[in-house]
Amino acid sequence: MENYLYPFFWQHGEDHDVLKKYMEKISGCGMKGVCVEARPHPDFVGDGWWKDMDFILDKAKKLDMKLWILDDSHFPTGYANGRIKSDYPQYLKKYLDMRRYDVQGPLRRARIDFSLLKGRPWDKPDPEQEILKVLLAKRISQRTEKRDPVIAESICDITEQMNRESRLLTLDVPEGAWSIFVVYLTKKGGEQATQDYLNPLVREATEVLIREVYEPHYAHYKEEFGKTIQGFFSDEPRFGNIKGTEGRMGTDMVLPWRDGLEKELGFEEKYLPLLWADAEGLEKDIRFQYMDIVTRLYNENFTQVLGDWCRAHHVWYLGHTIEDNGAHARLGYGTGHYYRGQQGMDFAGIDVIGGQIVPGMNYHHDAFNTGGSNGEFYHYALAKLAASSAHLDPAKKGRAMCEAFGAYGWNEGLKMMKWIADHLLVRGINYLVPHAFDPKKFPDFDCPPHFYAHGHNPQFRYFKVFSDYVNRICQIFRDGKYPSETGLLYPAELEWGGNCMPLEKPCRELTEHQIPYDIVTRDWIMQAEIGDGFFEINGCRMKNLVIPYGEGIPSDIVPMLKKMVEHQVQIYFLDALPDVMLGFSKNQEAFEYVQTHASVIALEQLGETLAEYRKVFFAQVQPDLAVGEYERDGQRYYMIFNENIGKTIRTEISLPHAEHVYRYDAFSGKTYEVSTDPASGKFFLSLEPYESVVLLESEENLPAEAVYFKGADMAADQEKIALPEKWNVQFADSFSWPKFTEKVPVEELCCVQEIAGWEKKAGTLQFSSELKLEYEISAVLDLGEVFETAEVKVNGISAGLRLCRPYRFDLTGLLKKGENQITIEVTNCLGTALRDPISHYLMIEPFGIEGPVVMKKIQK
């Protein structure tokens, strides 16, 4: 079993004894790697940093651990340890901005004084702002609340009528309603948090980051690059021209820029105002062209530069951008295009923090992260962005990483972490960066939970169970092939040019109907091999392409779509055909051919239309069952996860090639043969809330522990065994455990949070009693609902640990004739005792056993 967990290990300049303990705790809990982050270190890339890094590196080698290094003094990446502002101001971010002046003519020799032009924020005139163009355009009166558009053909350049020194414009305004547009360059108006950051459109700016962070690490640790040191991690680099996720084109915001960009855009400079103003539809082409260029430049001058340096020095380049609430296709928090922002990285990357994914909340809900959480996007689109990149980008080699669990608050325990992990794993994520191990003095309210928390986290002793579980599943879903035959067009370009269907809408339909698919980009389609009935990207052969609704579609892929149709690749437009092509090289004949020969279906029809492409078949429609498929070493694997947090799903299931079916228990690492119907190959599947299963389909007999016994599902006709009526209930905190010295004033299996004085307890409840049996039996103990981890011991021997439902324990071989000592230990998380500003976005769960608790005999 290899390691797929690289938790953040924050550095603040702690004593080396503390760092030693933390490295040992991380290694001991089954995570054999760390991502070292200055959070922030007081002497990043200074003597203090190198002393701490020397110590961590030496300790990692002794513990056989690997290191990733976060590539700046704090997040987001792009600060270059403060050197851009102090030493390279020419590489600070630059923006294009526009002011619109509405005027009414006729008026001869009118004047406007642009020396009073103010930037953002609206504080005072800024003489450093360079006026690029002054333009005049005729307005089209529409008598609406929205500002009137202009007539595209009327736009004319009047820059020469402005005195450059005084910035005084003099002109004759013709009769009618007109607008004057001033387009200028500025360093003001962007996101305040990244105002001192490098311009990602300028290669030389990125090279400052390399000189200030990457090269010093190489100089110190050259011999460990590609060995103990595996890579550099960029955290949330962005355009940062506006704060937040709504950086859509046409929004009133400054736009990322670099010197001379006006010459690279592919349209006349007089149309620059249409990046903000409307002009009879021409603005769609202008905005599309701008975004197309600026996202390519971001990739070429930032991501690719860092990636090339890392590969030249034998390490990986990885990390993630901000995808929140659709920002993956926008400016602001985003990089304009998720896949271009990641192109050049060796891993596909995303993050899940701040309550973005909460079990059961596949709808918009309040959360810590900016703007709340669009739960539909996070549940159905986010992980597929990264998984598709891992499958289709040859540089990724199947690697998809997620930074997870951070900033949920202390209310997040192992139960929720397991649900989130399953949600990611079943969608194709196979590396996790848990957030975070924090050696700062406890309690630190910087984005908890913190996993060890200097011993205060009562669940930490069970982290190895969680880590081993994740590592085992990641090991299965690596170095193989995802069997998708459906491509879903990534709609970033569609959004740039107008209204479009959000990505998460078709993602949800495909997920809820268990149809394997990959998100494909316009760039990949342009490079695809097209054959009879298929198109192929990086060895992934697909038979159909789904295109979300958009007003426009990029003109350059239209001939490729025509070729697909001609080769019997089925193309489905959702809800309606696009009205126009986006861009300036338009093939009308090909466009009309595609419109005529492609299919148009309603979004709601998508699942049933593509039902033949399922790999797993259930007796009924099961929207709450997420299915992940994988092919590896000649065998087929299926992960099935019940994402409903309150409903047990029982259904008949069949697999397409069911010669032999095995059930893999990722907690124990054991494999069980599944008994299938000889005629149909079908079998029965029962999954409780939070429960997942890995099935293995093979044409050959494989070694297995035993046939998976039906008794594990607690059939209703099994004989019940009476449990003790009275229990001794005690409590221990994380430091006193395993000694229980505090008595709880109850004598039953119950929850204790409503008992006076027990409302804020965090630790472990121990329920112990004796069970007298007339003879030795095999039995299963089901605790029902528990909050939240549970371990059962019989006569001092552990029957196992459960992080979430089903809290079911096989007691075979443990129960003997006569007296049996039964102990149940239930451990909650710190959120009960330690309140923080983030935790209030999650409910505080009860503490104890809610039940119903049932013990039944089983026949094996």
Side-chain angles (χ1 to χ4, degrees):
M1 184 171 64
E2 297 182 18
N3 177 62
Y4 299 89
L5 294 159
Y6 291 79
F8 278 154
F9 184 24
W10 294 347
Q11 300 300 307
H12 315 90
E14 282 82 11
D15 185 87
H16 286 184
D17 286 341
V18 175
L19 300 183
K20 175 179 180 292
K21 174 178 279 191
Y22 264 76
M23 287 291 286
E24 291 171 349
K25 291 295 181 180
I26 295 170
S27 174
C29 78
M31 303 181 187
K32 302 299 289 185
V34 294
C35 185
V36 184
E37 176 184 356
R39 189 70 176 187
H41 194 282
D43 192 22
F44 183 65
V45 298
D47 291 342
W49 175 259
W50 302 126
K51 289 178 182 177
D52 291 347
M53 278 299 300
D54 288 347
F55 181 83
I56 292 171
L57 180 61
D58 181 67
K59 193 66 179 175
K61 291 166 69 175
K62 291 177 181 176
L63 294 171
D64 193 25
M65 298 174 70
K66 305 299 182 184
L67 301 182
W68 296 348
I69 301 171
L70 203 140
D71 66 352
D72 216 333
S73 54
H74 57 75
F75 77 95
T77 293
Y79 187 57
N81 200 29
R83 295 299 297 278
I84 295 292
K85 180 182 180 181
S86 63
D87 297 349
Y88 302 95
Q90 69 272 27
Y91 298 141
L92 287 167
K93 290 188 293 183
K94 183 172 288 189
Y95 307 109
L96 186 72
D97 205 354
M98 182 269 287
R99 291 290 173 272
R100 179 173 179 169
Y101 301 81
D102 296 327
V103 297
Q104 183 70 29
L107 184 61
R108 297 187 69 252
R109 308 305 293 166
R111 293 174 293 170
I112 296 180
D113 186 356
F114 294 140
S115 67
L116 301 177
L117 187 67
K118 294 182 179 181
R120 304 169 190 234
W122 302 89
D123 48 1
K124 59 183 179 180
D126 186 355
E128 293 184 2
Q129 292 167 339
E130 176 188 347
I131 295 178
L132 197 61
K133 287 290 177 181
V134 183
L135 304 140
L136 179 68
K138 178 76 172 177
R139 294 166 60 102
I140 304 174
S141 179
Q142 293 189 329
R143 298 183 181 181
T144 65
E145 294 181 1
K146 185 178 180 181
R147 180 172 258 183
D148 292 344
V150 298
I151 299 173
E153 292 183 356
S154 74
I155 301 175
C156 59
D157 189 341
I158 58 172
T159 309
E160 295 305 315
Q161 294 177 237
M162 179 190 70
N163 183 300
R164 285 284 182 179
E165 289 189 13
S166 66
R167 294 192 173 190
L168 187 66
L169 173 72
T170 304
L171 78 160
D172 295 334
V173 180
E175 182 178 355
W178 297 80
S179 289
I180 297 171
F181 298 97
V182 182
V183 182
Y184 62 97
L185 305 182
T186 180
K187 291 183 179 179
K188 293 185 176 181
E191 178 190 33
Q192 185 175 1
T194 60
Q195 64 181 352
D196 297 329
Y197 276 51
L198 62 84
N199 188 340
L201 303 181
V202 177
R203 173 180 291 264
E204 291 80 5
T206 306
E207 289 172 346
V208 173
L209 175 60
I210 290 175
R211 288 197 301 272
E212 295 301 322
V213 177
Y214 286 64
E215 289 180 350
H217 282 86
Y218 185 70
H220 278 78
Y221 307 120
K222 176 180 179 180
E223 299 303 319
E224 293 299 330
F225 269 50
K227 297 176 184 177
T228 306
I229 297 176
Q230 291 184 317
F232 284 95
F233 188 107
S234 279
D235 195 15
E236 301 182 358
R238 63 188 75 162
F239 278 117
N241 60 305
I242 188 175
K243 179 181 179 179
T245 63
E246 294 301 317
R248 303 169 186 263
M249 290 305 296
T251 301
D252 185 21
M253 61 184 177
V254 297
L255 298 176
W257 200 256
R258 75 176 190 183
D259 290 338
L261 183 57
E262 67 274 14
K263 307 297 183 184
E264 305 176 63
L265 288 174
F267 57 81
E268 294 182 62
E269 293 176 46
K270 70 176 185 178
Y271 294 128
L272 285 172
L274 303 191
L275 294 171
W276 295 271
D278 293 347
E280 304 173 291
L282 179 60
E283 73 278 357
K284 298 179 188 297
D285 289 333
I286 299 300
R287 295 167 190 174
F288 167 81
Q289 187 71 10
Y290 166 81
M291 288 295 292
D292 194 33
I293 293 294
V294 81
T295 53
R296 290 184 190 276
L297 290 176
Y298 178 96
N299 171 256
E300 293 169 3
N301 294 283
F302 184 78
T303 314
Q304 199 68 48
V305 173
L306 296 174
D308 287 346
W309 186 94
C310 285
R311 284 180 288 277
H313 293 78
H314 313 295
V315 291
W316 290 322
Y317 176 51
L318 68 155
H320 74 93
T321 53
I322 290 185
E323 316 85 10
D324 300 5
N325 297 344
H328 59 89
R330 301 172 192 152
L331 301 174
Y333 275 179
T335 58
H337 189 291
Y338 171 81
Y339 293 95
R340 289 181 180 174
Q342 294 252 313
Q343 185 181 345
M345 287 188 171
D346 297 293
F347 285 58
I350 57 170
D351 79 339
V352 173
I353 65 159
Q356 293 168 336
I357 294 178
V358 177
M361 291 188 180
N362 56 358
Y363 48 83
H364 197 285
H365 58 90
D366 198 9
F368 161 69
N369 60 308
T370 302
S373 281
N374 176 359
E376 190 172 36
F377 166 74
Y378 291 116
H379 271 71
Y380 299 107
L382 178 58
K384 291 297 292 188
L385 284 170
S388 298
S389 178
H391 301 154
L392 303 180
D393 181 350
K396 305 293 190 288
K397 297 182 179 179
R399 296 180 293 247
M401 176 278 302
C402 179
E403 173 194 327
F405 315 127
Y408 274 75
W410 291 111
N411 281 356
E412 180 189 37
L414 282 170
K415 182 173 79 168
M416 179 176 283
M417 289 173 61
K418 192 267 185 184
W419 193 100
I420 293 172
D422 278 354
H423 171 98
L424 297 168
L425 296 168
V426 78
R427 287 162 171 79
I429 301 300
N430 47 31
Y431 284 82
L432 292 183
V433 176
H435 179 308
F437 280 91
D438 180 9
K440 196 173 183 179
K441 184 179 179 181
F442 180 87
D444 181 10
F445 291 96
D446 180 0
C447 296
H450 308 138
F451 302 134
Y452 174 56
H454 291 278
H456 289 268
N457 187 344
Q459 291 187 350
F460 183 72
R461 61 179 175 272
Y462 300 132
F463 260 61
K464 191 174 190 307
V465 175
F466 171 78
S467 299
D468 288 350
Y469 170 83
V470 170
N471 275 325
R472 288 187 182 110
I473 293 182
C474 290
Q475 181 81 20
I476 291 173
F477 292 92
R478 280 280 294 123
D479 301 322
K481 181 181 179 182
Y482 177 64
S484 169
E485 296 177 310
T486 296
L488 171 63
L489 181 66
Y490 180 56
E493 288 91 338
L494 279 58
E495 182 177 305
W496 300 345
N499 295 323
C500 76
M501 178 183 291
L503 176 64
E504 56 268 22
K505 297 296 184 181
C507 286
R508 179 172 190 164
E509 288 296 313
L510 293 167
T511 300
E512 291 187 337
H513 288 84
Q514 295 85 39
I515 297 169
Y517 72 97
D518 272 317
I519 300 168
V520 302
T521 68
R522 159 185 168 229
D523 296 338
W524 287 332
I525 287 177
M526 295 298 293
Q527 302 168 20
E529 175 190 350
I530 300 175
D532 291 337
F534 72 89
F535 66 100
E536 188 171 302
I537 301 170
N538 190 34
C540 298
R541 183 166 290 195
M542 304 183 193
K543 297 179 180 179
N544 59 80
L545 177 66
V546 177
I547 301 179
Y549 168 72
E551 289 182 290
I553 192 167
S555 59
D556 56 1
I557 67 167
V558 171
M560 293 295 288
L561 299 182
K562 178 176 182 290
K563 186 176 179 180
M564 287 184 185
V565 173
E566 291 172 338
H567 284 77
Q568 288 74 53
V569 175
Q570 186 64 58
I571 295 180
Y572 298 98
F573 285 94
L574 297 181
D575 287 352
L577 293 166
D579 298 318
V580 298
M581 289 179 282
L582 303 171
F584 298 106
S585 298
K586 300 176 179 177
N587 186 327
Q588 189 63 31
E589 179 185 354
F591 186 51
E592 292 175 358
Y593 183 92
V594 172
Q595 287 182 307
T596 302
H597 292 85
S599 300
V600 179
I601 62 173
L603 171 66
E604 295 77 13
Q605 296 175 311
L606 180 60
E608 288 306 314
T609 300
L610 300 183
E612 65 182 285
Y613 296 102
R614 293 175 182 145
K615 301 296 189 296
V616 177
F617 299 90
F618 301 113
Q620 306 87 21
V621 176
Q622 299 291 351
D624 291 320
L625 291 184
V627 176
E629 305 88 4
Y630 211 63
E631 297 175 357
R632 181 170 175 245
D633 300 330
Q635 296 170 348
R636 290 170 290 275
Y637 296 86
Y638 305 91
M639 182 177 181
I640 306 175
F641 176 38
N642 179 8
E643 297 194 331
N644 190 303
I645 65 169
K647 175 185 174 183
T648 297
I649 296 177
R650 298 179 175 88
T651 182
E652 197 172 52
I653 177 176
S654 62
L655 304 178
H657 310 288
E659 189 74 24
H660 301 281
V661 178
Y662 300 88
R663 180 171 181 148
Y664 177 68
D665 180 0
F667 280 108
S668 68
K670 295 180 180 180
T671 303
Y672 301 88
E673 186 177 355
V674 175
S675 179
T676 61
D677 183 273
S680 65
K682 296 179 180 179
F683 56 98
F684 185 76
L685 179 69
S686 176
L687 291 177
E688 291 196 22
Y690 288 79
E691 187 177 9
S692 62
V693 64
V694 175
L695 300 175
L696 166 60
E697 190 180 58
S698 176
E699 297 177 1
E700 302 176 357
N701 279 313
L702 299 176
E705 296 290 326
V707 175
Y708 183 74
F709 63 98
K710 294 181 180 179
D713 291 321
M714 296 292 285
D717 60 353
Q718 290 173 274
E719 180 184 347
K720 290 186 179 180
I721 301 170
L723 289 166
E725 294 183 3
K726 291 187 177 183
W727 295 76
N728 180 39
V729 187
Q730 300 181 92
F731 172 82
D733 64 22
S734 59
F735 292 100
S736 60
W737 184 91
K739 292 183 179 181
F740 292 86
T741 57
E742 192 171 355
K743 176 71 175 174
V744 185
V746 292
E747 293 183 333
E748 58 185 336
L749 300 174
C750 64
C751 293
V752 303
Q753 73 281 350
E754 294 180 8
I755 300 173
W758 291 85
E759 303 92 338
K760 295 185 177 182
K761 288 286 189 178
T764 302
L765 291 172
Q766 183 190 73
F767 302 85
S768 60
S769 191
E770 291 185 349
L771 176 66
K772 188 173 183 179
L773 296 173
E774 303 254 340
Y775 49 86
E776 182 178 318
I777 62 169
S778 293
V780 167
L781 175 65
D782 192 324
L783 300 180
E785 190 66 82
V786 176
F787 304 99
E788 59 179 37
T789 67
E791 183 175 14
V792 171
K793 295 179 182 179
V794 178
N795 300 319
I797 300 174
S798 177
L801 172 75
R802 301 290 181 266
L803 305 183
C804 60
R805 289 181 65 181
Y807 293 98
R808 187 179 299 133
F809 301 83
D810 183 3
L811 307 185
T812 301
L814 300 179
L815 293 169
K816 63 182 182 179
K817 179 181 177 181
E819 297 290 343
N820 291 271
Q821 182 72 29
I822 297 181
T823 302
I824 305 169
E825 292 187 5
V826 175
T827 305
N828 65 353
C829 57
L830 273 173
T832 304
L834 188 62
R835 310 306 302 147
D836 64 275
I838 298 173
S839 279
H840 75 277
Y841 290 97
L842 298 177
M843 298 291 286
I844 306 173
E845 292 195 340
F847 184 18
I849 301 174
E850 185 176 281
V853 181
V854 179
M855 183 182 288
K856 290 187 176 184
K857 291 182 182 179
I858 57 175
Q859 299 295 327
K860 289 202 173 185

